[in-house]
């Protein structure tokens, strides 16, 4: 029976059959022959996901001083039911990624249809034609329990398989550039021996030309720039590999403005990526305890952070919101901790801060459920059967990326507590983590496994009409700082809801005037790190009592 791959817009693509492989390789050989005749290098990008699809386009868009393209790129994707659809989409000149950066779609369209420097394929035979292979497949980290990264493990299978397939197919002089975020040590201690062994089987004497350079992709408005116009770190397993990787990156990235940092060994480049993201995860996690301190002692952490930020040495202090999602920060430190034992063979526990930071970030969102419960309780409403609207499904503002978002945990925990959840997000059409929760992000990865009562979520649909979403809610959670949420008017919100509601601010979205207005309208307000709301509530209550008694307010109090 024919198998199909479904695109996010619901288009069905039949997976290739055996007979298709031969004709596909013929198509590629013809393309490559004509491209070589134009003096272009052939680059195969393995894995056209969030990183690979855009990196492939950046390379395909590269040109020499005269504006002539210097590379022909083949984006190569395994033909799985989950991912195959990306290939026909790219070959139509369409981006497989939905993003706020218009440059992504324009660049893919330009390279496929106008410059004809980009194509996509499902056959590993493409590797036989490559001068360069860029590896952008995933390397996941599977957590065994919520809030305990140490009990998890790196999932090396996809990556190890990729190295093996590459080694079976490439010519000896092909540069293999690993861009995947890997457990430090992977390039030299896992990839190198796999490729070397396969080379020996193929009677190839030479060493693999292997290098590592990591991506610093920021999904969002500057997607393309975060790849092309940004600093890169790289390193090769030997002099030749280092020379080749420096040459390649200098030809495709804006290295004049953003010079490369070349490190001595790939493990240093791999470690740089893990430290970079662990540092970020740690400075965010560190504010969790101060956020609780603030809530319990009448402090507005948002104002505290803004006060500190003006000091140039502390300008990167940021409020953590309801946990730290995205694909990278929740896992990258785990890859480092795992590598220490499972690649390098150490038994002692040297890592204290990195795993603790990830564990704190992974569970911070659960506190939002407590705040919601308490706010509703203050209004005399039980959480069970309460209608709750979460504003925002993605992991950060103004992007449509929902991977490991704090919102997912909020929705799952509140549902477990008996609430009825609705979700609105202007950037997300389908929340696959719920709609396909048995298989997405992978059968064993769904956060569903840490909560009870999650079955009904297959029917969860993202609301696009905010007014409709608000109708009849008991509680509203500002979960993401999406632009459309920043200026919502309390009067209109309460009117749409049909009466006073509980309002939970997870991201410092509400200013004091808005908080005050919600209280005046009979709402209850709580927020992560926002202990001062109690003060505003008391002021509103005092004022109301004064007005009821019709006594002029004392001057001191008016101030
Ligand atoms: N997404 C980000 O924001 C980001 C930022 C920086 C670094 N990274 C790192 O980049 C790497 C890739 O991340 P991503 O977000 O693009 O992941 P992704 O899951 O979107 O893409 C990986 C792709 O590789 C494909 N693939 C897997 N095995 C394959 C094989 N054997 N042959 C061909 N294709 C194969 C998958 O089907 C998938 O399409 C990860 O290591 C990630 O940590 C990601």
């Amino acid at each position: 029976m024919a198998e199909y791959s479904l695109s996010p817009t619901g288009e069905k693509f039949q997976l290739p059959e055996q007979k298709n492989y031969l004709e596909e390789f013929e198509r590629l050989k013809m393309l490559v022959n004509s491209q070589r005749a134009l003096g272009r290098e052939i680059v195969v990008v393995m894995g056209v996901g969030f990183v690979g699809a855009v990196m492939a386009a950046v390379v395909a868009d590269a040109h020499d001083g005269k504006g002539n393209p210097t590379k022909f790129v083949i984006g190569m994707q395994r033909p799985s039911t989950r991912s195959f659809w990306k290939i026909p989409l790219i070959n139509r000149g369409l981006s497989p990624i939905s993003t706020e950066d218009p440059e992504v779609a324009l660049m893919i369209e330009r390279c496929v249809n106008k410059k004809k420097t980009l194509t996509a394929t499902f056959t590993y035979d493409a590797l036989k034609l490559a001068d360069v292979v860029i590896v952008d497949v995933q390397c996941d980290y599977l957590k065994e329990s919520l809030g305990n990264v140490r009990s998890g493990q790196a999932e090396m299978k996809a990556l190890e398989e990729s190295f093996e397939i590459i080694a079976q197919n490439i010519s000896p002089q092909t540069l293999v550039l690993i861009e995947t975020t890997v457990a430090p040590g992977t390039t030299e201690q896992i990839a190198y021996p796999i490729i070397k062994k396969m080379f020996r089987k193929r009677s190839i004497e030479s060493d693999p030309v292997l290098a590592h350079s990591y991506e610093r992709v920021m999904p969002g408005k500057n997607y393309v720039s975060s790849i092309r116009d940004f600093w890169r770190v790289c390193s090769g397993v030997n002099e030749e590999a280092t020379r080749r990787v420096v040459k390649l990156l200098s030809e495709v990235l804006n290295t004049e403005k953003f010079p490369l940092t070349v490190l001595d060994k790939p493990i240093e480049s791999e470690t740089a990526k893990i430290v970079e993201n662990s540092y970020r995860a740690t400075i965010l996690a560190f504010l969790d305890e101060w956020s609780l301190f603030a809530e319990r002692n009448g402090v507005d952490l948002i104002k505290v952070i803004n006060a500190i930020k003006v000091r140039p040495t502390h300008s990167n202090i940021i409020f953590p919101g309801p946990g730290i999602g995205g694909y990278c920060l929740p896992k990258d430190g785990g890859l480092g901790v795992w590598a220490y034992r499972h690649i390098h063979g150490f038994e002692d526990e040297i890592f204290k801060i990195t795993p603790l930071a990830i564990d704190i970030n992974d569970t911070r969102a659960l506190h939002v459920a407590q705040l919601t419960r308490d706010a509703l309780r203050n209004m005399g409403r039980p959480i069970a059967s309460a209608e709750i609207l979460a504003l925002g499904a993605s992991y950060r503002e103004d992007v449509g990326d929902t991977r490991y978002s704090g919102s997912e945990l909020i929705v799952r925990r509140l549902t477990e507590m008996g609430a009825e959840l609705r979700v609105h997000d202007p950037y997300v059409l389908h929340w696959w983590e719920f709609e396909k929760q048995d298989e997405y992000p992978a059968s064993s990865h769904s956060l569903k496994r840490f909560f009870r009562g999650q079955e009904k979520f297959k029917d969860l649909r993202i609301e696009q009409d905010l007014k409709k979403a608000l109708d009849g809610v008991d509680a509203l959670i500002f979960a993401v700082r999406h632009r459309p949420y920043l200026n919502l008017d309390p009067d209109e919100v309460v009117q749409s809801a049909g009466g006073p509601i509980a309002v939970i601010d997870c991201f410092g979205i509400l200013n004091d005037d808005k908080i005050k207005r919600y209280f005046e309208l009979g709402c209850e307000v709580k927020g992560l790190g926002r202990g001062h709301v109690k003060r505003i509530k008391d002021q509103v209550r005092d004022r109301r009592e004064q007005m009821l008694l019709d006594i002029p307010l004392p001057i001191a109090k008016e101030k």
Side-chain angles (χ1 to χ4, degrees), residues 13-138:
F13 294 98
Q14 190 180 334
L15 261 51
E17 294 169 9
Q18 208 46 49
K19 60 176 194 241
N20 301 123
Y21 280 79
L22 215 60
E23 57 201 52
E24 175 67 355
F25 190 37
E26 287 307 315
R27 176 182 83 89
L28 293 177
K29 277 198 288 196
M30 272 175 50
L31 278 173
V32 163
N33 284 341
S34 57
Q35 293 287 330
R36 279 205 202 286
L38 295 168
R40 294 176 188 161
E41 215 178 7
I42 310 302
V43 178
V44 171
V45 175
M46 196 166 186
V48 285
F50 283 88
V51 173
V54 188
M55 180 63 184
V58 165
V59 178
D61 206 39
H63 50 78
D64 61 19
K66 292 182 192 139
N68 297 318
T70 52
K71 316 280 176 211
F72 178 70
V73 180
I74 306 173
M76 205 255 302
Q77 175 60 52
R78 60 181 174 182
S80 61
T81 47
R82 198 178 133 192
S83 290
F84 173 70
W85 58 269
K86 297 172 193 172
I87 299 167
L89 235 64
I90 292 177
N91 284 338
R92 284 180 196 163
L94 298 174
S95 167
I97 294 157
S98 94
T99 154
E100 295 65 47
D101 184 356
E103 183 66 10
V104 171
L106 289 172
M107 196 180 232
I108 291 177
E109 205 277 327
R110 179 166 69 237
C111 292
V112 174
N113 293 330
K114 298 202 178 71
K115 295 170 99 175
K116 303 207 181 293
T117 51
L118 175 62
T119 190
T121 189
F122 50 83
T123 175
Y124 290 135
D125 283 337
L127 294 161
K128 296 187 168 77
L129 309 168
D131 299 308
V132 175
V133 176
I134 300 179
V135 181
D136 278 323
V137 309
Q138 73 278 23

Side-chain angles (χ1 to χ4, degrees), residues 101 111 115 160 181 187 194-195 217 250 264 322 331 354 360 388 449 511 519:
D101 184 356
C111 292
K115 295 170 99 175
E160 284 173 336
T181 304
T187 302
I194 289 177
I195 300 176
V217 180
S250 306
D264 292 346
K331 75 169 167 63
T354 300
I360 289 170
I388 300 178
R449 69 195 191 279
N511 62 25
F519 279 125

